[in-house]
Amino acid sequence: MKLEVPAARQRSQDAEQKDKAAGVLGIEPWKNHPARLPAPLPEADAGGALVPPLNFAMVDDGIFRSGLPDAANFRFLLSLNLRSIVYLCPEPYPEENAWFLRQNGIELHQFGIEGSKSGLTMPETLLLQEPLVYIPEETIREALKVILDVRNQPVLIHCKRGKHRTGCVVGCLRKLQKWCLSSVFDEYLHFAAAKARSTDQRFMELFDASSLMHLTASE
């Protein structure tokens, strides 16, 4: 005998399947932050896909990280309701990106940190006993002050690829949040992968967060 599924139950099952599919596509985290979703875009723009930048991730409530966004990512950035961007490269901000920020009232905070010129991976630097690459600690501190200021949030932190400079800043933020060092390194390695640098990890290990402990990161 064929059993008929009541229409209301069938609609409930369909909705559940759609929710599961949304989680696979990475939409699930936004359910916890409905207040941060923007107003609907104009109908002419509503059909475009939301494409996150390279290495995008949520760091904490109101704090995000990524590589350098391009035009294909602009609609996604709008969905974050950003107030500011912390840019960690010394090069001028791309004009197209700067125009996007001006049009949407997003403030740019630039902290120019030179990228490593060695190009060596972590196993190679360990083998060659690479000296500590200079990372300006005071610049990291100033960037963290901007990031942790709730008046600047939601904020996106990015460099070019979202690996080394962004990884160091986020790693130092984790020390402020009292993460254990192994967890700090695990997160760094998740994004840097084969391009991980021992100098970055040594910098994070030695970073003194005590002078910033009065700043409160979101719990």
Side-chain angles (χ1 to χ4, degrees), residues 164-185:
H164 303 112
R165 287 167 281 199
T166 299
C168 283
V169 169
V170 172
C172 293
L173 169 61
R174 296 310 191 192
K175 291 192 73 173
L176 277 173
Q177 296 176 316
K178 301 186 183 300
W179 279 32
C180 67
L181 201 56
S182 61
S183 295
V184 172
F185 289 168

Side-chain angles (χ1 to χ4, degrees), residues 6-216:
R9 181 180 176 187
Q10 183 64 48
R11 285 195 296 270
S12 176
Q13 291 174 343
D14 291 344
E16 183 179 355
Q17 290 174 351
K18 287 180 180 179
D19 287 345
K20 290 180 179 178
V24 172
L25 292 174
I27 299 172
E28 182 67 25
W30 304 117
K31 287 187 176 181
N32 299 324
H33 305 277
R36 299 193 184 279
L37 291 175
L41 293 171
E43 186 174 347
D45 298 328
L50 295 178
V51 181
L54 176 70
N55 278 328
F56 176 82
M58 175 182 280
V59 176
D60 207 331
D61 187 29
I63 303 175
F64 306 92
R65 63 177 291 168
S66 75
L68 178 66
D70 59 28
N73 310 131
F74 288 169
R75 289 193 73 257
F76 180 86
L77 296 186
L78 284 177
S79 76
L80 302 179
N81 268 356
L82 294 176
R83 288 182 181 173
S84 55
I85 280 181
V86 169
Y87 175 52
L88 301 173
C89 301
E91 297 83 11
Y93 208 54
E95 181 54 38
E96 185 176 29
N97 294 52
W99 178 88
F100 169 77
L101 299 192
R102 290 193 299 268
Q103 290 297 307
N104 293 283
I106 302 171
E107 187 172 358
L108 177 66
H109 302 269
Q110 183 169 3
F111 299 93
I113 301 173
E114 294 289 344
S116 171
K117 304 299 183 183
S118 69
L120 298 177
T121 61
M122 185 170 63
E124 292 170 329
T125 55
L126 291 173
L127 181 64
L128 298 176
Q129 296 183 333
E130 177 192 9
L132 187 65
V133 172
Y134 176 68
I135 300 174
E137 186 167 332
E138 187 57 34
T139 302
I140 300 290
R141 293 180 189 280
E142 291 303 312
L144 287 172
K145 290 177 184 178
V146 170
I147 293 163
L148 293 173
D149 188 336
V150 294
R151 294 171 296 181
N152 297 320
Q153 298 173 5
V155 57
L156 173 67
I157 312 162
H158 77 79
C159 50
K160 285 187 177 178
R161 298 190 176 278
K163 294 182 178 181
H164 303 112
R165 287 167 281 199
T166 299
C168 283
V169 169
V170 172
C172 293
L173 169 61
R174 296 310 191 192
K175 291 192 73 173
L176 277 173
Q177 296 176 316
K178 301 186 183 300
W179 279 32
C180 67
L181 201 56
S182 61
S183 295
V184 172
F185 289 168
D186 284 346
E187 183 178 38
Y188 170 83
L189 292 169
H190 174 76
F191 292 95
K195 296 294 184 180
R197 295 171 181 163
S198 61
T199 51
D200 289 347
Q201 292 176 279
R202 286 155 62 192
F203 174 82
M204 290 183 281
E205 181 178 4
L206 297 173
F207 180 76
D208 181 8
S210 61
S211 66
L212 297 173
M213 285 299 180
H214 63 285
L215 302 175
T216 55

